[in-house]
Amino acid sequence: MKLVRRMSDPMGHLSYRGVCIQHAGLLTSGRNMCVRAKTRLEVEADNLVAIDVEFMHVRVIRTGGDEEGREVVQKFQLPAEVCVLASSGDAKLVHTKIDSLTEAKKQYEIFQYEHILEHDGGIGLDDIKGMPLLSAVREDVALAVRGRLVVGHNLAKDLVSLGITERHIPMKYRRDTMRYPALQNDKGHGRSLAELSLVKLGREIQQNVPHDPCEDAQATLDLYIKYCHYDESLMGYDDLVEYYMSQMLQNTTSD
Protein backbone atom coordinates (compact mmCIF):
# COMPACT_ATOMS: atom_id res chain seq x y z
CA MET A 1 0.00 0.00 0.00
CA LYS A 2 1.45 3.35 -1.00
CA LEU A 3 0.83 6.28 1.32
CA VAL A 4 0.71 9.75 -0.24
CA ARG A 5 0.17 13.23 1.09
CA ARG A 6 -2.84 15.18 -0.07
CA MET A 7 -1.74 18.29 -1.93
CA SER A 8 -4.67 20.15 -0.38
CA ASP A 9 -3.80 19.04 3.14
CA PRO A 10 -1.79 21.84 4.82
CA MET A 11 -0.82 19.50 7.65
CA GLY A 12 0.78 17.00 5.31
CA HIS A 13 -1.26 14.09 6.66
CA LEU A 14 -1.70 10.89 4.72
CA SER A 15 -4.32 9.52 2.40
CA TYR A 16 -4.62 6.38 0.32
CA ARG A 17 -6.30 6.74 -3.08
CA GLY A 18 -7.78 10.03 -1.91
CA VAL A 19 -9.36 8.60 1.26
CA CYS A 20 -8.18 9.33 4.78
CA ILE A 21 -6.88 6.24 6.51
CA GLN A 22 -9.14 5.42 9.45
CA HIS A 23 -7.01 2.82 11.20
CA ALA A 24 -4.17 2.93 13.72
CA GLY A 25 -4.36 6.58 14.59
CA LEU A 26 -5.68 8.32 11.47
CA LEU A 27 -9.20 9.72 11.32
CA THR A 28 -11.05 11.97 8.93
CA SER A 29 -11.46 15.62 9.88
CA GLY A 30 -13.20 17.70 7.28
CA ARG A 31 -13.17 17.15 3.49
CA ASN A 32 -9.54 17.84 2.78
CA MET A 33 -7.62 16.83 5.88
CA CYS A 34 -6.62 13.65 7.67
CA VAL A 35 -5.95 13.98 11.39
CA ARG A 36 -4.05 11.51 13.55
CA ALA A 37 -6.11 10.24 16.48
CA LYS A 38 -4.67 8.71 19.64
CA THR A 39 -4.21 4.98 19.96
CA ARG A 40 -5.99 3.05 22.69
CA LEU A 41 -2.83 2.97 24.80
CA GLU A 42 -2.34 6.72 24.41
CA VAL A 43 -5.91 7.39 25.52
CA GLU A 44 -5.35 5.04 28.45
CA ALA A 45 -2.15 6.89 29.38
CA ASP A 46 -4.04 10.18 29.47
CA ASN A 47 -6.35 8.74 32.13
CA LEU A 48 -3.71 7.25 34.42
CA VAL A 49 -3.47 8.22 38.07
CA ALA A 50 -0.53 7.59 40.39
CA ILE A 51 -0.74 7.19 44.15
CA ASP A 52 1.82 7.31 46.94
CA VAL A 53 1.41 7.05 50.71
CA GLU A 54 3.83 8.14 53.42
CA PHE A 55 3.66 6.47 56.81
CA MET A 56 3.87 7.22 60.51
CA HIS A 57 5.57 4.65 62.73
CA VAL A 58 3.99 3.89 66.09
CA ARG A 59 5.05 1.53 68.89
CA VAL A 60 2.14 0.04 70.80
CA ILE A 61 2.73 -1.28 74.32
CA ARG A 62 0.27 -3.82 75.67
CA THR A 63 0.68 -4.77 79.33
CA GLY A 64 -0.59 -8.26 80.01
CA GLY A 65 -0.99 -8.78 76.32
CA ASP A 66 -0.07 -12.44 76.21
CA GLU A 67 -1.23 -15.53 78.12
CA GLU A 68 1.43 -15.10 80.82
CA GLY A 69 0.66 -11.44 81.37
CA ARG A 70 3.90 -10.14 79.91
CA GLU A 71 4.28 -6.82 78.16
CA VAL A 72 3.86 -7.05 74.41
CA VAL A 73 5.29 -4.46 72.05
CA GLN A 74 4.00 -4.10 68.50
CA LYS A 75 5.01 -1.74 65.74
CA PHE A 76 2.46 -0.23 63.39
CA GLN A 77 2.91 1.65 60.14
CA LEU A 78 -0.07 3.94 59.76
CA PRO A 79 -0.82 5.98 56.62
CA ALA A 80 -0.11 9.63 57.40
CA GLU A 81 -0.08 11.41 54.02
CA VAL A 82 -1.35 10.52 50.57
CA CYS A 83 -1.06 12.04 47.12
CA VAL A 84 -3.01 11.07 44.00
CA LEU A 85 -1.78 12.61 40.74
CA ALA A 86 -3.41 12.62 37.31
CA SER A 87 -1.21 11.99 34.29
CA SER A 88 -2.81 14.84 32.35
CA GLY A 89 -1.77 18.26 33.57
CA ASP A 90 -0.03 16.95 36.71
CA ALA A 91 -3.20 17.73 38.65
CA LYS A 92 -3.23 16.79 42.33
CA LEU A 93 -6.54 15.01 42.72
CA VAL A 94 -5.90 14.29 46.39
CA HIS A 95 -3.12 15.54 48.66
CA THR A 96 -3.59 15.53 52.39
CA LYS A 97 -2.19 14.33 55.66
CA ILE A 98 -4.31 11.72 57.46
CA ASP A 99 -5.46 11.12 60.99
CA SER A 100 -5.30 7.33 60.87
CA LEU A 101 -4.53 6.96 64.57
CA THR A 102 -8.12 7.57 65.66
CA GLU A 103 -9.38 4.65 63.57
CA ALA A 104 -6.44 2.45 64.58
CA LYS A 105 -7.12 3.00 68.28
CA LYS A 106 -10.61 1.59 67.88
CA GLN A 107 -9.67 -1.22 65.51
CA TYR A 108 -6.67 -2.52 67.48
CA GLU A 109 -7.75 -1.36 70.96
CA ILE A 110 -4.68 0.83 71.32
CA PHE A 111 -4.43 2.67 74.63
CA GLN A 112 -0.71 3.17 75.19
CA TYR A 113 1.49 4.16 72.28
CA GLU A 114 4.40 6.33 71.25
CA HIS A 115 5.77 7.66 68.02
CA ILE A 116 9.06 6.14 66.94
CA LEU A 117 11.59 7.38 64.44
CA GLU A 118 12.61 4.91 61.79
CA HIS A 119 15.58 5.33 59.46
CA ASP A 120 13.82 7.97 57.35
CA GLY A 121 12.03 9.75 60.17
CA GLY A 122 8.49 9.26 58.98
CA ILE A 123 5.67 11.63 59.89
CA GLY A 124 5.11 12.62 63.52
CA LEU A 125 2.02 12.70 65.72
CA ASP A 126 1.86 16.50 65.67
CA ASP A 127 1.73 16.46 61.87
CA ILE A 128 -1.62 14.67 61.76
CA LYS A 129 -3.46 16.63 64.45
CA GLY A 130 -6.65 18.11 63.04
CA MET A 131 -6.23 16.30 59.73
CA PRO A 132 -9.09 14.44 58.00
CA LEU A 133 -9.92 11.00 59.37
CA LEU A 134 -8.78 7.97 57.41
CA SER A 135 -12.37 7.05 56.56
CA ALA A 136 -12.92 10.43 54.85
CA VAL A 137 -9.63 10.25 52.95
CA ARG A 138 -10.47 6.73 51.83
CA GLU A 139 -13.68 7.99 50.23
CA ASP A 140 -11.84 10.85 48.50
CA VAL A 141 -9.19 8.53 47.07
CA ALA A 142 -11.76 5.95 45.93
CA LEU A 143 -13.70 8.68 44.12
CA ALA A 144 -10.57 10.12 42.47
CA VAL A 145 -9.41 6.80 41.03
CA ARG A 146 -12.76 5.33 40.06
CA GLY A 147 -12.69 3.72 36.62
CA ARG A 148 -9.04 4.64 35.98
CA LEU A 149 -5.76 2.74 35.83
CA VAL A 150 -3.90 3.27 39.10
CA VAL A 151 -0.10 3.22 39.20
CA GLY A 152 1.97 2.82 42.35
CA HIS A 153 5.31 1.54 43.64
CA ASN A 154 4.52 -1.35 45.98
CA LEU A 155 0.94 -0.43 45.24
CA ALA A 156 -0.70 -3.12 47.35
CA LYS A 157 0.90 -1.81 50.55
CA ASP A 158 -0.39 1.71 49.95
CA LEU A 159 -3.91 0.60 49.06
CA VAL A 160 -4.22 -1.81 52.00
CA SER A 161 -3.06 0.89 54.40
CA LEU A 162 -5.87 3.17 53.20
CA GLY A 163 -8.46 0.42 53.31
CA ILE A 164 -8.87 0.50 49.53
CA THR A 165 -10.10 -2.90 48.36
CA GLU A 166 -10.76 -4.61 45.06
CA ARG A 167 -14.28 -3.22 45.29
CA HIS A 168 -12.78 0.25 44.91
CA ILE A 169 -10.05 -0.66 42.41
CA PRO A 170 -10.41 -4.01 40.58
CA MET A 171 -7.14 -5.89 40.02
CA LYS A 172 -7.30 -5.28 36.26
CA TYR A 173 -6.94 -1.54 36.91
CA ARG A 174 -3.84 -1.85 39.11
CA ARG A 175 -0.29 -1.28 37.86
CA ASP A 176 2.66 -1.82 40.23
CA THR A 177 6.06 -0.64 39.00
CA MET A 178 7.79 -3.18 41.25
CA ARG A 179 6.36 -6.00 39.15
CA TYR A 180 7.59 -5.00 35.69
CA PRO A 181 10.79 -6.72 34.43
CA ALA A 182 12.08 -3.47 32.95
CA LEU A 183 12.22 -1.98 36.45
CA GLN A 184 13.46 -5.02 38.39
CA ASN A 185 17.01 -6.09 39.21
CA ASP A 186 18.86 -9.06 37.70
CA LYS A 187 17.23 -11.42 40.20
CA GLY A 188 13.72 -10.29 39.31
CA HIS A 189 13.23 -8.33 42.52
CA GLY A 190 11.79 -4.86 42.84
CA ARG A 191 14.13 -1.89 43.26
CA SER A 192 13.68 1.17 45.43
CA LEU A 193 11.85 4.09 43.88
CA ALA A 194 14.75 6.44 44.64
CA GLU A 195 17.19 4.17 42.80
CA LEU A 196 14.89 3.76 39.80
CA SER A 197 14.26 7.48 39.57
CA LEU A 198 17.98 8.24 39.58
CA VAL A 199 19.03 5.49 37.18
CA LYS A 200 16.07 5.52 34.78
CA LEU A 201 14.96 9.16 34.90
CA GLY A 202 18.14 10.93 36.00
CA ARG A 203 16.18 12.52 38.82
CA GLU A 204 17.01 12.60 42.51
CA ILE A 205 14.03 12.20 44.81
CA GLN A 206 13.41 11.58 48.51
CA GLN A 207 16.08 14.08 49.52
CA ASN A 208 13.88 15.52 52.28
CA VAL A 209 12.52 13.93 55.45
CA PRO A 210 9.75 13.03 55.49
CA HIS A 211 9.41 12.17 51.82
CA ASP A 212 7.06 14.10 49.55
CA PRO A 213 4.33 11.68 48.35
CA CYS A 214 3.56 13.84 45.31
CA GLU A 215 7.20 13.75 44.23
CA ASP A 216 7.19 9.97 44.60
CA ALA A 217 3.88 9.62 42.76
CA GLN A 218 5.19 11.70 39.85
CA ALA A 219 8.36 9.60 39.61
CA THR A 220 6.27 6.42 39.66
CA LEU A 221 4.00 7.75 36.93
CA ASP A 222 6.94 8.79 34.72
CA LEU A 223 8.66 5.42 35.17
CA TYR A 224 5.50 3.53 34.26
CA ILE A 225 4.75 5.53 31.13
CA LYS A 226 8.35 5.47 29.89
CA TYR A 227 9.24 1.84 30.61
CA CYS A 228 6.04 -0.17 31.09
CA HIS A 229 2.92 1.19 29.41
CA TYR A 230 4.33 0.92 25.88
CA ASP A 231 6.42 -2.21 26.48
CA GLU A 232 5.86 -4.24 23.32
CA SER A 233 6.41 -7.54 25.14
CA LEU A 234 3.33 -6.80 27.26
CA MET A 235 0.99 -5.67 24.46
CA GLY A 236 -1.85 -7.71 23.07
CA TYR A 237 -2.16 -8.30 19.33
CA ASP A 238 -4.54 -5.41 18.62
CA ASP A 239 -2.40 -2.95 20.58
CA LEU A 240 0.74 -4.13 18.78
CA VAL A 241 -0.84 -3.64 15.36
CA GLU A 242 -2.12 -0.21 16.31
CA TYR A 243 1.20 0.75 17.88
CA TYR A 244 3.33 -0.27 14.86
CA MET A 245 0.95 1.32 12.38
CA SER A 246 0.91 4.52 14.38
CA GLN A 247 4.73 4.58 14.53
CA MET A 248 5.01 3.88 10.81
CA LEU A 249 2.56 6.61 9.87
CA GLN A 250 4.18 9.07 12.24
CA ASN A 251 7.60 8.42 10.72
CA THR A 252 6.18 8.78 7.23
CA THR A 253 4.58 12.14 7.96
CA SER A 254 7.79 13.43 9.51
CA ASP A 255 9.83 12.74 6.35
Side-chain angles (χ1 to χ4, degrees):
M1 181 176 73
K2 184 177 180 180
L3 301 174
V4 296
R5 289 184 175 84
R6 284 190 175 190
M7 298 302 293
S8 58
D9 183 356
M11 299 298 292
H13 292 298
L14 301 179
S15 62
Y16 173 60
R17 294 180 179 175
V19 180
C20 289
I21 299 173
Q22 299 186 38
H23 181 68
L26 288 182
L27 296 174
T28 301
S29 177
R31 294 184 59 186
N32 297 316
M33 185 181 299
C34 298
V35 179
R36 182 185 181 280
K38 293 183 177 181
T39 65
R40 188 194 71 82
L41 287 176
E42 288 172 332
V43 172
E44 200 173 64
D46 286 343
N47 289 298
L48 289 171
V49 294
I51 186 170
D52 186 77
V53 175
E54 296 300 323
F55 293 87
M56 176 179 66
H57 306 279
V58 175
R59 179 188 290 115
V60 178
I61 303 171
R62 299 180 189 275
T63 302
D66 66 2
E67 294 180 356
E68 299 182 8
R70 292 175 298 189
E71 183 179 270
V72 174
V73 177
Q74 293 177 280
K75 292 182 179 180
F76 286 84
Q77 283 191 27
L78 301 177
E81 186 174 6
V82 61
C83 183
V84 180
L85 290 180
S87 59
S88 55
D90 297 330
K92 295 180 182 179
L93 302 179
V94 178
H95 182 209
T96 182
K97 287 188 168 60
I98 312 165
D99 176 8
S100 56
L101 191 56
T102 298
E103 189 170 305
K105 287 178 182 178
K106 297 178 181 179
Q107 182 177 355
Y108 301 107
E109 297 182 348
I110 296 174
F111 301 103
Q112 186 178 358
Y113 61 90
E114 61 182 351
H115 175 243
I116 57 176
L117 295 176
E118 294 290 348
H119 60 88
D120 59 357
I123 295 173
L125 293 173
D126 291 339
D127 296 323
I128 66 169
K129 288 182 178 179
M131 293 295 108
L133 295 176
L134 176 57
S135 56
V137 175
R138 183 185 303 121
E139 292 181 5
D140 290 342
V141 171
L143 182 61
V145 304
R146 182 178 299 168
R148 306 173 80 164
L149 291 185
V150 181
V151 181
H153 194 71
N154 200 358
L155 179 61
K157 176 184 177 181
D158 287 350
L159 296 183
V160 168
S161 73
L162 296 172
I164 299 292
T165 67
E166 192 171 353
R167 178 175 63 86
H168 302 105
I169 307 175
M171 296 302 295
K172 65 180 181 179
Y173 291 139
R174 302 185 184 194
R175 303 290 185 269
D176 191 334
T177 48
M178 292 191 73
R179 296 181 175 273
Y180 287 89
L183 299 177
Q184 294 176 331
N185 61 23
D186 295 338
K187 296 182 179 180
H189 299 154
R191 301 158 71 182
S192 73
L193 183 59
E195 177 191 0
L196 286 171
S197 182
L198 182 60
V199 173
K200 298 290 190 179
L201 301 175
R203 183 192 311 164
E204 288 188 344
I205 62 171
Q206 300 182 351
Q207 298 298 295
N208 299 318
V209 177
H211 300 160
D212 180 350
C214 290
E215 179 184 60
D216 288 359
Q218 187 63 59
T220 302
L221 185 63
D222 293 342
L223 285 166
Y224 174 78
I225 291 177
K226 186 173 183 178
Y227 292 99
C228 308
H229 191 66
Y230 298 104
D231 187 339
E232 297 173 28
S233 67
L234 302 176
M235 291 184 191
Y237 176 78
D238 289 343
D239 286 332
L240 274 172
V241 171
E242 193 175 48
Y243 177 75
Y244 280 123
M245 284 292 292
S246 178
Q247 293 297 308
M248 181 185 70
L249 296 173
Q250 184 175 349
N251 291 336
T252 304
T253 57
S254 62
D255 291 341

